[in-house]
Amino acid sequence: MQAKKNKNTAVILGVAFVWFTTHFGGGFASGAQIYSYFVKYGIACLILPVLAMVYNGIFFAYSLRFARKHEVYDYRSYNNAFYGRFAPVFSNLFEVLYICVMCVAPAVAFATGGATLSTLTGLPYLLCTFLIGIFIFVVAVFGTDLVRKVASILSICIIAGLLIVYIPNIVSGMDGISKAAESMRSAELPLGSAVYSAFLYGTFQLSNIAVFVQHARSFEKPSDAGKSMGAGIVVNALMMVMVVLGLMTVYTDPGMADASVPTLFMVQNGVGASFMTPLISLLIILGAVSTAVNMVAAMVKRICKEQKEPTGAAQKPKIGKKEIAAALICCIVDFGIAQFGLLTLIQKAYSLIAYLAIPVILIPYIVHMIATRMDTKSPGRKPDQSSSSN
């Protein structure tokens, strides 16, 4: 009995960790997301990340609970069941939204790796994103299995690295945090803008529902979804507030507003710069590259979906011309998008996806919650086999 309870607890925490590792990409690691959507809007940055994660947690818990209750574990069959008779419209709109995410997210990873490498080496940003792109292309074609195996290890290393970097800088930079708080208060930045920015940040993250629903299968019962996302709220909110405090240590520095990689700027102006600068740079690049590889590999698989996997145990996967061409096209597109710059992508492209998510996810989910009384009014329906196989 105790072993079963421990296993269920591990699953609940494991899915919460999936949320964090999905949320924790290159934009988060670089500090660009946190600065663009929270810190630059004033003192409310100390509480709004928590509210944004509560907002996300409610929607994620609802989607995971629905997936477990109705036993729909891939995002297409999940959407067909969730949207019901409106599925022909909204399931396809969700596909469009998700394709946009899969274009922007790797581009942000390209830009994160390129901007970090440029800051670290002094090489031109264009050349750095090109080098990052070559590496991503090669690994996406030849090493996706290896990347998937080490993705969790990379994420843990990045989290540990951020703790090593941020905690000493926060402790030693308390005066800077106080000055930043005073500067934010005296600037009298409008609270409405800060709340709206946090809303856009949380709404963009709603597209991750497509990633999460597959993990609902692991829950013992639907109610475990709420427990898991409750833990996820705590983990994500604490890490976001930690990054906020770290960035506040250099908030009043004139160069902060133009820093393309805020975390790197903080380290270079903080304690232990000689040791921490190469450490955080390596971790940011690794995190960005691993995210981009997974995304590019997913797009390649989507484009080449009719390609059958090898069945022989000793048979090595064959890399066809179609896979190489698809990976090359994906990398070229993402490389081109990355040239808009990291902060521009974070501020503009992410906001655009948030606007798309409002009619596709936010409004339908609120209507669903009200109409079904939080999915308790009726059992709903499972999708047709033909629908779930699309």
Side-chain angles (χ1 to χ4, degrees):
M1 185 68 180
Q2 186 63 35
K4 183 178 179 180
K5 183 178 179 181
N6 291 341
K7 181 180 179 181
N8 191 45
T9 300
V11 168
I12 289 172
L13 294 177
V15 177
F17 191 68
V18 167
W19 174 11
F20 177 73
T21 53
T22 303
H23 180 200
F24 188 75
F28 193 143
S30 68
Q33 284 181 196
I34 306 301
Y35 180 80
S36 296
Y37 282 92
F38 297 100
V39 175
K40 79 174 189 177
Y41 287 97
I43 196 65
C45 66
L46 292 171
I47 187 64
L48 286 177
V50 178
L51 298 181
M53 292 302 98
V54 171
Y55 164 38
N56 279 169
I58 292 172
F59 279 78
F60 292 158
Y62 191 70
S63 63
L64 284 165
R65 180 180 177 277
F66 184 94
R68 179 64 181 84
K69 180 179 177 181
H70 301 280
E71 300 180 358
V72 281
Y73 303 121
D74 68 88
Y75 81 83
R76 181 70 187 196
S77 59
Y78 166 85
N79 283 334
N80 288 341
F82 187 89
Y83 292 119
R85 65 179 182 272
F86 301 105
V89 174
F90 285 97
S91 285
N92 290 319
L93 286 176
F94 193 100
E95 292 279 1
V96 173
L97 172 64
Y98 194 54
I99 290 172
C100 290
V101 172
M102 293 183 73
C103 286
V104 172
V108 169
F110 271 63
T112 300
T116 304
L117 188 61
S118 178
T119 303
L120 186 64
T121 63
L123 294 173
Y125 174 78
L126 179 65
L127 176 60
C128 290
T129 52
F130 180 70
L131 294 175
I132 292 291
I134 291 175
F135 183 79
I136 290 172
F137 167 73
V138 172
V139 179
V141 172
F142 295 102
T144 52
D145 289 339
L146 177 62
V147 170
R148 282 195 295 269
K149 290 178 182 178
V150 303
S152 297
I153 297 174
L154 283 177
S155 297
I156 292 171
C157 290
I158 295 170
I159 294 170
L162 288 181
L163 290 173
I164 292 171
V165 168
Y166 273 96
I167 291 178
N169 277 281
I170 291 172
V171 172
S172 64
M174 292 305 295
D175 288 341
I177 294 174
S178 298
K179 291 179 181 177
E182 182 61 33
S183 175
M184 289 172 173
R185 283 193 293 265
S186 62
E188 297 183 351
L189 298 171
L191 179 61
S193 297
V195 172
Y196 184 64
S197 179
F199 165 74
L200 288 180
Y201 183 87
T203 304
F204 164 76
Q205 299 294 330
L206 292 181
S207 59
N208 286 327
I209 285 172
V211 178
F212 296 152
V213 292
Q214 61 185 307
H215 299 285
R217 186 193 297 270
S218 303
F219 291 139
E220 182 180 346
K221 51 188 180 296
S223 60
D224 288 341
K227 299 174 185 177
S228 179
M229 293 301 97
I233 289 170
V234 173
V235 173
N236 281 278
L238 286 176
M239 287 298 295
M240 289 179 73
V241 172
M242 184 189 76
V243 174
V244 165
L245 290 172
L247 297 183
M248 285 179 69
T249 63
V250 289
Y251 176 81
T252 57
D253 190 300
M256 180 60 175
D258 298 322
S260 58
V261 187
T263 296
L264 193 56
F265 182 82
M266 178 200 72
V267 168
Q268 292 173 334
N269 292 274
V271 296
S274 60
F275 163 70
M276 292 186 179
T277 297
L279 170 63
I280 196 65
S281 299
L282 177 62
L283 292 173
I284 290 173
I285 292 172
L286 285 176
V289 166
S290 63
T291 299
V293 166
N294 288 331
M295 286 286 190
V296 171
M299 284 189 278
V300 171
K301 186 175 182 180
R302 186 181 189 86
I303 294 170
C304 306
K305 58 184 177 181
E306 73 277 3
Q307 185 75 20
K308 294 183 179 180
E309 297 291 333
T311 56
Q315 187 177 1
K316 294 183 179 180
K318 293 182 179 180
I319 302 168
K321 293 180 179 179
K322 182 178 288 188
E323 284 78 10
I324 293 175
L328 182 60
I329 291 171
C330 289
C331 286
I332 290 173
V333 170
D334 290 326
F335 170 77
I337 297 173
Q339 300 316 306
F340 289 100
L342 178 58
L343 293 181
T344 300
L345 285 173
I346 294 293
Q347 294 167 352
K348 304 297 183 183
Y350 277 13
S351 295
L352 175 61
I353 291 175
Y355 292 131
L356 292 175
I358 290 173
V360 177
I361 301 177
L362 178 61
I363 294 175
Y365 272 63
I366 292 175
V367 171
H368 192 281
M369 290 175 183
I370 295 172
T372 66
R373 299 174 188 172
M374 300 299 287
D375 197 32
T376 61
K377 185 177 179 181
S378 63
R381 70 173 183 85
K382 294 184 182 180
D384 300 332
Q385 289 297 321
S386 58
S387 298
S388 62
S389 64
N390 289 341

